[in-house]
Amino acid sequence: MSDSAALPRLSKLMAERGLCSRREADSYIERGWVKVDGEVATLGLRVSPDARIELLAQARGAQQERVTILLHKPVGYVSGQAEKGYQPAVSLILPERRWGGDTAPLRFQREHLRGLAPAGRLDIDSTGLLVLTQDGRVAKTLIGEDSGVEKEYLVRVAGKLSAEGLAKLNHGLSLDGQPLRPAKVWWQNDDQLRFVLREGKKRQIRRMCDLVGLRVLGLKRIRIGKLMLGDLPQGQWRYLAPGERFD
């Protein structure tokens, strides 16, 4: 194996640095919109991990045109592709469903739906904040392997929870044979818990509650990173405004 073959691909390194997604990186490289150490890069190029990578103006412009949407997902919609007769959440992104309180200086365009994908799951029987994005940087921030962005939930439950059970919800449970990261869980009121997680396994909160003898009656996500669901009405959406960040 040659020395260069052991080096990372440019697209992988760009994604790891949070410049864009790997798919976007390949597109930009193919168009000649990326320079490495001052030279225009070619597709499939392998580079040193400390290489100087520059996105040209065309790539930066393409990124600025990509939108991120915050949706208050109702129960009965799936986060991703349509399944079992249920509509995907993206079907709610219609101009008439845009929240009147949206302050982002964007006019809705059909192009904003192209490649729009959920950055994280919200179960069909759950409601609350769902992020849909065209931007690979946002997706990496929220669902990348090393993402530590907090997600906060209000969870209405039935059953008795001991002090030991509450302690286990905070730290000490495992799912799918793997220990869960420490969480923050406390009573919000008599029948509702507040969960703050830094990971998102499938149906994680419902399965955690099962393990300590609780049944989930309702689940609502109210925060992702720095952004709150706030006054966004159920079934409506808004754009991520300039200057807003999740981390």
Side-chain angles (χ1 to χ4, degrees), residues 69 71 73-74 77-82 86-95 97 108 110 112-118 130-134 235 237:
I69 286 174
L71 170 69
K73 188 189 86 66
Y77 286 81
V78 293
S79 297
Q81 298 294 321
Y86 294 104
Q87 291 294 309
V90 71
S91 67
L92 294 169
I93 311 305
L94 301 168
R97 285 187 174 271
F108 177 78
R110 287 292 169 186
H112 293 166
L113 299 176
R114 188 178 297 122
L116 192 65
L130 180 68
V131 177
L132 301 119
T133 188
Q134 296 175 326
W237 61 273

Side-chain angles (χ1 to χ4, degrees), residues 42-234:
T42 56
L43 206 57
L45 181 68
R46 294 182 180 272
V47 298
S48 167
D50 59 358
R52 178 167 55 87
I53 301 171
E54 178 187 359
L55 290 182
L56 301 188
Q58 299 96 316
R60 296 195 302 272
Q63 288 183 326
Q64 289 172 359
E65 292 174 1
R66 297 186 185 278
V67 300
T68 295
I69 286 174
L70 310 182
L71 170 69
H72 187 163
K73 188 189 86 66
V75 169
Y77 286 81
V78 293
S79 297
Q81 298 294 321
E83 57 184 63
K84 299 177 183 176
Y86 294 104
Q87 291 294 309
V90 71
S91 67
L92 294 169
I93 311 305
L94 301 168
E96 60 267 27
R97 285 187 174 271
R98 185 177 181 181
W99 181 39
D102 190 353
T103 60
L106 287 172
R107 178 176 296 178
F108 177 78
Q109 301 178 44
R110 287 292 169 186
E111 288 78 8
H112 293 166
L113 299 176
R114 188 178 297 122
L116 192 65
R121 287 178 167 270
L122 196 56
D123 297 335
I124 192 170
D125 43 5
S126 300
T127 184
L129 185 57
L130 180 68
V131 177
L132 301 119
T133 188
Q134 296 175 326
D135 193 330
R137 297 169 299 175
V138 172
K140 182 177 186 297
T141 295
L142 299 185
I143 58 176
E145 289 184 7
D146 57 349
S147 175
V149 173
E150 290 185 343
K151 286 91 172 177
E152 186 169 351
Y153 305 80
L154 292 176
V155 185
R156 192 161 54 89
V157 296
K160 292 185 177 181
L161 180 65
S162 66
E164 181 184 4
L166 182 59
K168 285 184 176 180
L169 287 174
N170 278 271
H171 194 208
L173 296 178
S174 296
L175 291 177
D176 304 321
Q178 295 183 331
L180 296 174
R181 295 181 185 179
K184 299 174 186 175
V185 185
W186 67 96
W187 283 108
Q188 177 72 13
N189 51 46
D190 289 344
D191 67 349
Q192 193 167 227
L193 290 164
R194 189 178 287 253
F195 277 70
V196 178
L197 305 181
R198 288 183 176 270
E199 60 189 330
K201 293 184 179 294
K202 188 173 183 179
R203 300 181 72 82
Q204 178 172 334
I205 290 176
R206 296 176 189 278
R207 295 165 69 195
M208 289 173 69
C209 288
D210 283 345
L211 290 173
V212 295
L214 293 176
R215 181 164 57 93
V216 173
L217 303 178
L219 189 154
K220 182 179 184 179
R221 183 158 62 203
I222 61 171
R223 178 173 66 88
I224 299 178
K226 294 180 179 179
L227 298 189
M228 300 291 297
L229 178 64
D231 297 328
L232 183 62
Q234 191 170 119

